[in-house]
Amino acid sequence: MTNEKNPVTQGKTPSIYPAKTKKQVTIIFFAVLAVYLFSMYWTQREMVGGIDGALGNMFNVISKFFPPNFAVLPAIWDPMVETIQMAIISTTGAAIVTVPLAVLAAENITTYRPLYFASRTFLNILRTIPDLVLAVIFVGLFGIGLFPGILALFIFSIGILAKLISETIEAVDMNPLEAMRASGGNVFQVIWYALVPQVLPQFTSLTLYVFEINIRASVVLGLVGAGGIGLILDQQLGFYNYPNAMAIVILIFAVVLIIEYISNKLREALI
Amino acid sequence: MIEFKDVGLVYPNGTEGLKNINVTINDGEFVVIVGLSGAGKSTFIRSINRLVTPTTGSLQVDEEDIIGYHSGELRKLRTKVGMIFQNYNLVKRSNVLKNVIAGRLGHTGTFRSVLNLYKKEDVGLAYESLKRVNIEEKVHNRADELSGGQQQRVSIARVLTQQPKYILADEPVASLDPPTSHQVMTYLKKINKEDNITTIVNLHFIDMAMEYADRIIGMRAGEVVFDGPVSEVSEQTFEEIYGRSIRQDDLRGGAEES
């Protein structure tokens, strides 16, 4: 009998999770499963044609797009550069404005609760507005062009960046801050000497990440009239000039890939 | 001179950190506070530079009650009270000199310090301080490249650069091995004697307290239960302070190795 050597296994052994947790997890699992099944059933009913029609359409659409007309490349180079510039300007602006906002929205630095809650709420509201909605509003206010696009991306980036950076700030080692305070430093000196060195690598990395997002977002924003390559893409699609549109799509694809590659390498070097 | 008069401190969660403390610390003394963890040693020391604020009584530093101090006065107080921490509290990503020059923050305007426009004599002072703890060859190394003992020496240099009148050291050797602990304590003692800086050190190692202190204050449960020169202290005194018999882990040892 092995049981003689191993008295622990005799009698009732406790299960790894308590019965209550097991019950909760089971209920949650079936609830999620039910939601999936229901939404599957519902979308099937609403779908017209189903998958078979889509396959035939796909062949049709693709044949229209090929071969891409690369002769337009010189003409679309300028709007492509505009799109990149939009992303650069809006990301830079957002990175600057984010600094005070992120500090105010960090619980460990802004110890005055009402101010912390106010800035946190402000950022939450900012993040609930989709970039496309911002672009539509600003295009309505300022007309078609780059400026509304820059503004939309700027506000959109603040929402993401300030949230991510305030969370980075909340995770820093507070001990050096205490030391700076103990040697008589004021609030700005404490932040500059003990906080900034700790968050600077993440700050740069997150800013580059938001820049990548902005490049992609600025293409989409062009579709609603916010300037750049997206605007041209929208026009070409509107004229049913599919070979031109395909050349634009390929150019965007290549540019996004290159920028992401560079930015990834930079971020790897930073952290 | 530091004078605690009926000082009490109750934390917001109801814990009593200090109870009815009456202690006077004279200029130039080397005082070691002993007691188990949770006895109130840290609270005692942190009251002096107001990292925590006593709730009752009066606490005078150089004949001025510091309990009501606000931002400007507080910064002035903290420029003359330097502090050393158990975890060194250096900015790990900054280099050694930048960490040490931070000791001048209280003496330097915001604009100058943010742009690194330190006065030449301040930078000189920082370098001199590093020399005094024999770590000047690491001046441009990043703080996290240093060993624990080296980091603590850098934090001593930071305090020296501050040119304080008082040094508070909160468990400065708790994270170090025995030989390094003795080295750090020797530096603190040397600075105390050479610069006549009043030094208050929290320790829980009995043998180290006996070796370096001029005077020992024993604390238990937020109260001062012993206060006297080191010559009056015996093993029995420690047993009274700790409320139990002395064990091997109350001793740091290794005095002969350093």
Side-chain angles (χ1 to χ4, degrees), chain A residues 16 18 26 39 103 112 124 164 192 196 234 239 245-246 252 269:
Chain A
I16 295 172
T26 315
S39 51
V103 170
Y112 182 60
N124 284 340
L164 291 174
W192 187 257
V196 169
D234 189 40
F239 297 150
M246 195 61 208
I252 294 170

Side-chain angles (χ1 to χ4, degrees), chain A residues 173-186 188-190 192-195 197-199 201 270, chain B residues 46 49 51 75 78 81 85 89-94 98 102 105-106 108-110 113-114 116 118 158 162:
Chain A
D173 176 10
M174 288 301 283
N175 287 334
L177 278 83
E178 187 181 39
M180 297 300 164
R181 215 174 292 129
S183 65
N186 64 27
F188 293 106
Q189 290 172 325
V190 169
W192 187 257
Y193 271 77
L195 184 67
Q198 289 192 67
V199 296
L270 278 165
Chain B
R46 277 156 199 259
N49 65 353
L51 285 179
R75 290 188 61 199
R78 286 172 180 167
V81 184
F85 302 84
N89 293 13
L90 302 179
V91 183
K92 296 194 174 63
R93 296 187 61 93
S94 295
K98 181 128 194 215
L105 282 183
T108 312
T110 308
S113 57
V114 165
N116 277 333
Y118 282 96
R158 176 170 68 190
Q162 196 179 327

Side-chain angles (χ1 to χ4, degrees), chain B residues 167-203:
Chain B
I167 289 179
L168 312 173
D170 194 4
E171 296 278 7
V173 300
S175 311
L176 301 173
D177 57 32
T180 321
S181 300
H182 282 285
Q183 194 189 35
V184 164
M185 287 305 290
T186 308
Y187 279 121
L188 285 177
K189 184 83 183 179
K190 201 173 130 211
I191 289 158
N192 162 254
K193 287 283 163 286
E194 286 176 2
D195 300 14
N196 198 33
I197 298 175
T198 314
T199 307
I200 305 166
V201 185
N202 278 350
L203 282 179

Side-chain angles (χ1 to χ4, degrees), chain B residues 113-206:
Chain B
S113 57
V114 165
L115 294 178
N116 277 333
L117 296 169
Y118 282 96
K119 295 187 196 107
K120 232 182 168 168
E121 56 265 34
D122 283 355
V123 182
L125 183 65
Y127 190 63
E128 280 308 308
S129 310
L130 282 169
K131 270 189 181 163
R132 286 188 67 184
V133 290
N134 292 317
I135 197 147
E136 72 273 17
E137 77 275 12
K138 301 281 185 196
V139 64
H140 287 132
N141 283 60
R142 252 171 63 158
D144 54 6
E145 295 166 356
L146 272 55
S147 71
Q150 289 172 327
Q151 289 194 38
Q152 194 61 294
R153 269 146 69 195
V154 171
S155 93
I156 293 175
R158 176 170 68 190
V159 162
L160 278 175
T161 310
Q162 196 179 327
Q163 293 188 308
K165 208 176 153 195
Y166 305 94
I167 289 179
L168 312 173
D170 194 4
E171 296 278 7
V173 300
S175 311
L176 301 173
D177 57 32
T180 321
S181 300
H182 282 285
Q183 194 189 35
V184 164
M185 287 305 290
T186 308
Y187 279 121
L188 285 177
K189 184 83 183 179
K190 201 173 130 211
I191 289 158
N192 162 254
K193 287 283 163 286
E194 286 176 2
D195 300 14
N196 198 33
I197 298 175
T198 314
T199 307
I200 305 166
V201 185
N202 278 350
L203 282 179
H204 60 269
F205 296 115
I206 291 165

